[in-house]
Amino acid sequence: MTMPASGTVSPVALNVFSALLEARTGQQIASYRSWRIDVALKPLLRERGLDTLDQLVTLLLDGQDVRVGDQIVNALVNQETSFFRDAPVFDLVLEAVAGAEAAGRRPRIWCAGCSTGQEPLSLAMLFAERAEGGRPMPEIIATDVSEAAVARARAGRYNQFEIQRGLPIRRMMRWFDSEGGDWVARPELTRLVTVRRHNLVADHPPGGAFDVILCRNVLLYLSPTTKAAVFARFAAAMRPGGTLVLGAGETVIGQTDAFAPSRRLRGLYERTGDRPAPSHAAAA
Amino acid sequence: MKTCLVVDDSKVIRKVARHILETLDFTVSEACDGREALDACLASPPDVILLDWNMPVMSGMDFLRALREAPIPTRPKVVFCTTENGMAYIRAAIEAGADEYVMKPFDRDTLESKLQIVGMA
Ligand SMILES: C[S@@+](CC[C@H](N)C(=O)[O-])C[C@H]1O[C@@H](n2cnc3c(N)ncnc32)[C@H](O)[C@@H]1O
């Protein structure tokens, strides 16, 4: 008898769940991460009164309850986030909108793959505090493929562990109320962010041209072709001179020609089409 | 290496905090009430203080007020770490000169995050 490749996940279940996740989100479950599957799906098994992942596969393929697929995707997709994650990046975002402000335009920011909302709310706090000095408040659109994440981002409700991750206490006092052991963002904060469901690999970008797109810690497990397609969409959704912000360990280098490292904002990327073509005369 | 003074009357909490802080490369010392902590700070002020609220002899708040008046050459960062999780307590602590506030129960990520916020990790 051969053992299943990974813990309690049978090869069939692994194939079905991987295919579902990739079809819905573009995310690939690298085989070395497959051990996570049974841990991640345990709460769903319990909720559905099932004993094994194979039973869950049967329920999914049976197709009677369309919510099963959503629930599996939601459980498998990595939603880790925190307030002001990689804090110095936020100051760079302030600089990245300077051009729009100088031109007298209200900057537009798209937070793609916003998970449970800590990233867009961090931006909203930062800009709102600065807006008191008379600067314009940007339009912030936050999207995620997970329905559950979108609902949580809209509610702006966090437990005690989530609220303490990355959020300075003075900002918590200023922007959140305590409610039954949780902390809930005040309406004057949540109304600064528009949250929508959006799938980066399938849907058209939200309308209008963006000055900054943040897509941090989202594209890591996409195939190279899917990633390139997403970068191309980002480029099309941007204003000339627009800025792309990726996660700390991510890069566009070797993945797309649509963006290149910014000369001005270290660690950020610029849409390439806006740069003057390299002068061959100067190079010769 | 940075120094942290853990002030808590619970031996278990001191042990847990010490363990986490040592993995974050702090040199840790301990005090079990505000009075002991104040003596320790007058002798040699640490970089940061993790401070419980309710303790015998001298409470965290009384300690904090005394610390901010004390003739010591540096201004140690003070991170309250307490089960008093209401907004009124938090506000009182910040007004008395605390730099950050950790609501118990805490874990490693919370502590690390708060220490980063005060520029210590
Ligand atoms: C690890 S979280 C990162 C959250 C935040 N950007 C940050 O850096 O803290 C990744 C998020 O991307 C979302 N995501 C994954 N694939 C996606 C897709 N195809 N379209 C939109 N969002 C996606 C997940 O649902 C998850 O909430």
Side-chain angles (χ1 to χ4, degrees):
Chain A
M1 208 185 96
T2 50
M3 294 288 288
S6 50
T8 55
V9 188
S10 70
V12 173
L14 182 57
N15 280 342
V16 171
F17 295 142
S18 310
L20 174 73
L21 186 69
E22 185 161 5
R24 296 274 187 100
T25 68
Q27 304 282 335
Q28 297 181 317
I29 302 183
S31 51
Y32 67 89
R33 284 174 84 228
S34 59
W35 63 270
R36 252 193 89 235
I37 292 183
D38 58 315
V39 181
L41 290 174
K42 205 165 255 161
L44 182 56
L45 285 187
R46 215 174 301 131
E47 188 191 320
R48 292 268 173 180
L50 304 173
D51 295 322
T52 67
L53 292 175
D54 288 342
Q55 290 173 335
L56 186 61
V57 170
T58 311
L59 187 68
L60 173 73
L61 299 182
D62 169 56
Q64 297 280 343
D65 183 347
V66 289
R67 287 186 318 136
V68 183
D70 289 347
Q71 288 180 322
I72 294 172
V73 169
N74 188 52
L76 290 181
V77 88
N78 173 0
Q79 294 185 352
E80 189 180 326
T81 187
S82 59
F83 289 100
F84 294 97
R85 185 175 191 174
D86 306 318
V89 165
F90 286 80
D91 293 325
L92 295 178
V93 174
L94 291 180
E95 285 183 48
V97 299
E101 291 178 347
R105 269 190 299 109
R106 183 181 180 208
R108 298 188 75 233
I109 301 176
W110 177 17
C111 211
C114 66
S115 187
T116 41
Q118 285 91 328
E119 184 175 70
L121 289 178
S122 299
L123 287 169
M125 286 184 258
L126 196 67
F127 278 103
E129 288 163 13
R130 213 184 56 139
E132 280 155 10
R135 312 279 283 272
M137 186 65 205
E139 182 182 351
I140 302 171
I141 295 177
T143 62
D144 201 281
V145 71
S146 156
E147 203 67 77
V150 165
R152 289 210 49 206
R154 272 198 195 117
R157 187 181 193 104
Y158 302 98
N159 69 29
Q160 195 176 299
F161 289 98
E162 293 165 333
I163 199 73
Q164 300 204 80
R165 205 140 299 156
L167 185 64
I169 197 73
R170 283 181 178 75
R171 285 204 167 116
M172 187 191 90
M173 292 163 65
R174 160 104 203 256
W175 295 106
F176 291 81
D177 288 319
S178 130
E179 212 179 281
D182 288 341
W183 293 85
V184 185
R186 302 214 175 108
E188 64 259 37
L189 182 64
T190 47
R191 77 177 168 74
L192 301 176
V193 179
T194 307
V195 188
R196 267 189 233 156
R197 193 183 163 281
H198 175 270
N199 186 347
L200 284 168
V201 302
D203 302 334
H204 284 297
F210 291 94
D211 297 285
V212 179
I213 298 176
L214 293 96
C215 187
R216 304 193 304 156
N217 309 296
V218 179
L219 306 177
L220 264 66
Y221 298 107
L222 261 48
S223 73
T225 352
T226 315
K227 232 187 259 191
V230 172
F231 284 133
R233 285 210 185 116
F234 283 159
M238 257 182 196
R239 274 190 173 278
T243 306
L244 175 68
V245 187
L246 298 178
E250 300 173 278
T251 180
V252 299
I253 297 167
Q255 326 249 2
T256 179
D257 294 330
F259 291 93
S262 164
R263 295 183 197 142
R264 201 164 59 86
L265 305 168
R266 217 190 147 87
L268 274 41
Y269 300 94
E270 266 166 28
R271 200 172 86 161
T272 43
D274 315 318
R275 285 193 180 172
S279 154
H280 295 288
Chain B
M1 228 153 62
K2 288 185 173 135
T3 54
C4 181
L5 174 64
V6 178
V7 191
D8 202 304
D9 56 340
S10 154
K11 198 173 167 185
V12 176
I13 298 283
R14 292 201 306 272
K15 196 173 159 192
V16 171
R18 169 186 284 275
H19 177 73
I20 297 173
L21 288 160
E22 284 178 348
T23 65
L24 295 172
D25 277 343
F26 278 90
T27 302
V28 180
S29 52
E30 298 177 21
C32 49
D33 62 56
R35 181 76 251 166
E36 242 186 70
L38 198 57
D39 288 343
C41 289
L42 289 168
S44 158
D47 296 311
V48 55
I49 300 166
L50 203 62
L51 181 64
D52 187 22
W53 193 298
N54 289 307
M55 290 177 291
V57 187
M58 185 189 249
S59 74
M61 268 305 244
D62 289 342
F63 161 79
L64 176 56
R65 292 198 183 99
L67 175 77
R68 294 301 186 220
E69 301 278 290
I72 52 175
T74 58
R75 186 188 180 283
K77 300 278 185 190
V78 172
V79 178
F80 251 106
C81 185
T82 167
T83 47
E84 308 296 353
N85 293 351
M87 193 66 105
Y89 283 97
I90 298 173
R91 184 159 290 126
I94 298 300
E95 278 166 10
D99 298 283
E100 259 301 332
Y101 202 100
V102 172
M103 299 180 270
K104 282 181 190 163
F106 61 89
D107 60 6
R108 186 186 195 281
D109 287 353
T110 305
L111 210 52
E112 185 174 9
S113 168
K114 292 293 187 173
L115 289 164
Q116 265 169 11
I117 289 171
V118 299
M120 284 288 151

